[in-house]
Amino acid sequence: MGVPIRWLRDYVDLPEGAEELAERLPMLGLGVEGISGHGDDAVLDLEIAYNRPDLLGLIGIAHEIAAWGRRGIRIPDGEPRWSEAAGLPPIPVEIEDPALCPRYIACLLTGVTVGASPPAIASRLEAAGVRPINSVVDATNYVMLEWGQPLHAFDYDTLAGGRVVVRRAGVGESLVTLDGVERLLEPSMLVIADADRPVALAGIMGGLRTEIRPDTRAVLLEAAAFSPASVRRTSRKLGLRTDASARFERGMDPEGVARAAHRAVSLIAELCGAQTVGPRTDAYPHPTSRQPIAMRPDRARRLLGVEIPAGEAVEILSRLGVDSRMEDGRIYATPPVGRRDLEREEDLIEEVARHFGYERIPEAMPHELTNQGRRPPRLEAESAARDALIRLGLVEAVTVSLTGGQLLERLGLTAEDPWRSVVPIANPLAAEHTHLRPALLPGLLEAVRLNIARRRKAVHFFEIGRIFRHEGTRIAERRSLAVVMWGDYLIGFWQGGVPRESALANLTGVLEGLVDEMKAGAVVVEPGGPAWLHPARSGTVRVGEAEMGAMGELHPAVAARFEIPGRAYVAELDLDLLLERALLQPQFSGLPRYPAVHRDVAIVAPRTLPHAVVREALREAAGPLLESAELFDAYSGPPLEPGSRNLAYALSFRAQDRTLTGDEVDRLMAAIYASLPARLPVSIRG
């Protein structure tokens, strides 16, 4: 931004030379990219921080210099002499979306004579890098450079219906802008329209049809605040960037619109000899309020490493135009109009530090008492689950959180399956990424397919990630865990394990091992599962009373659609529910002092009776001396009756205060032989 020194002197007394000012401005947060000219004819080329739109005007820069040098500031008189014509109604202004245009002021000036601007005005504009056009347009550019607020002037007689409508563009609408280019508009673009059609791109450029011409006699002056995002989006789509759009993209304070409008009206009336100034319309549907921000002097000392007296801090803020007061040991500061960057305590501390002087802050490391950082408990639990699954022989996979309809259709979901409650993406970038994933398993199966295609002999994956589903009117986001096991699974220790094909028992063991390490309870698998699982080799997973998800063999038809040969065993669990039950506090116990006694038991049970139910009955029958009951074999076939299976358990008994005798263990086994058939439809093999 070019800042002419001679023009800047209108508002504040400057140091003797531009060089001295250029040396100080970086300490105030204003970057100086260069100086052209000498003395009062010098022009500073400044780099303005993105969050300081108030510095895009000379008066904002003058405020900073005045606060630094403890100088007064001269604000030009901006209140025009209104002379509203009798019987002329206010200009109708309609704002269809106040979020895109929070304020719009329209002022009418009649009896205007358009001509060339005086040399004093034209030379200042040229020094700032703006080409003079005519007295009306030059007045709006002059005020924009002065206050940082863009304005626009319309030829009022060319506005259909004499009204202003701030709205989105309609489908198929176009506008010939001031540069003579016809631009096709989109419904996402905000425009200024009259009663019939668009006449300007809001915050960017006006239309050629309503431009100010030598024969213009009535001028409608626009001063408004537009949504920065809306202006930025339209500017990028059209490839059109102007001085106005560069300012609106940073955010204009709606409270500062009126002062710029009044200053521009006064200047146009002075330069163009307007006979009537008025009426004016101020459309401001939702006026903003400024709340005081509390600043703690002790907090400032801790952040800056230097003690700044509270009185001096109040004085600095006051010089910057911030309404400040001390109360209960705190400084309460209300930001002035235009300073939208002052939002929190740290912003005030930065302002005080800049004008206190960075060079006065000592170069020393701060001394603070700190605590060792740690992750939130939920992330600690998630990390523990990940480590447990890796120790159980799985490899973590990370897939894309986006999915498409074709991938989900391969699962053969039923109409009522909750995985069909997908969340669509408004602007997908690829045909296969049109929705947020409702589950991890489809993406994980696709990863398995790719690994098999690359001739991997075994794929044992797990993934922990977020899933998204519609639940009524809201979108639910939860963490999920998916497991896929296909191919050889190493049984035994690393010294010489025997590879065998994965089985359902391996998947069950992984889930039981995970839940056991998380100390979340006992896993129970109840028969029956969703349609994407094998109807006879699947189940619903419960931990305690909570239903966690489903596991089992992947349905052969689903496996074929994913090009997975043979049998694959899969599971998907609600990880949030599991982590809620997890107990990760370390619990230590001493090594056992007495040996364990081992016995085996073979139980013939119906195939429909879950193994977890049998094991729980074993624990209850044996009592507290039973240390573990591990299933090591399951057999079905002759000579067993159809629908039956043999479950073989390895039992370990141990007492903490003595060595168990053979007679004691025999009595425990007898209790099991007597109790189990009474509790369950099973028999004990001899």
Side-chain angles (χ1 to χ4, degrees), residues 95 179 213 255 280 315 328 428-429 501 629 674:
I95 302 176
D179 56 2
R213 299 179 174 86
E255 291 294 314
R280 55 181 171 173
E315 180 190 356
D328 299 330
L429 300 180
E501 187 177 356

Side-chain angles (χ1 to χ4, degrees), residues 536-561:
R537 303 189 187 101
S538 62
T540 300
V541 180
R542 290 185 176 274
V543 177
E545 298 298 324
E547 182 177 327
M548 295 289 174
M551 58 88 68
E553 181 183 326
L554 189 65
H555 196 288
V558 177
R561 285 193 285 268

Side-chain angles (χ1 to χ4, degrees), residues 51-52 293-295 303 317 320 322 333 335 339-354 358:
N51 68 330
R52 292 297 303 273
I293 304 170
M295 174 182 146
L303 287 179
L317 292 173
L320 288 167
V322 180
R339 293 301 304 272
R340 302 185 71 186
D341 59 302
L342 300 181
E343 299 177 339
R344 55 185 66 86
E345 182 180 25
E346 286 75 13
D347 297 331
L348 297 178
I349 294 173
E350 181 184 7
E351 294 300 293
V352 171
R354 286 194 304 112
Y358 292 134

Side-chain angles (χ1 to χ4, degrees), residues 3-26:
V3 178
I5 294 295
R6 188 185 301 275
W7 191 356
L8 191 59
R9 288 191 186 277
D10 282 1
Y11 313 113
V12 64
D13 295 327
L14 300 177
E16 292 183 1
E19 290 75 11
E20 181 182 353
L21 180 62
E23 290 179 2
R24 181 62 194 181
L25 288 180

Side-chain angles (χ1 to χ4, degrees), residues 292-314:
I293 304 170
M295 174 182 146
R296 297 162 291 179
D298 184 62
R299 174 68 172 165
R301 177 191 60 78
R302 292 177 59 195
L303 287 179
L304 301 177
V306 65
E307 185 79 38
I308 300 179
E312 185 172 355
V314 170

Side-chain angles (χ1 to χ4, degrees), residues 96 104-105 213 295 456 520 588 610 618 681:
E96 293 189 356
Y104 192 99
I105 295 178
R213 299 179 174 86
M295 174 182 146
R456 291 291 302 273
F588 300 98
L618 273 172

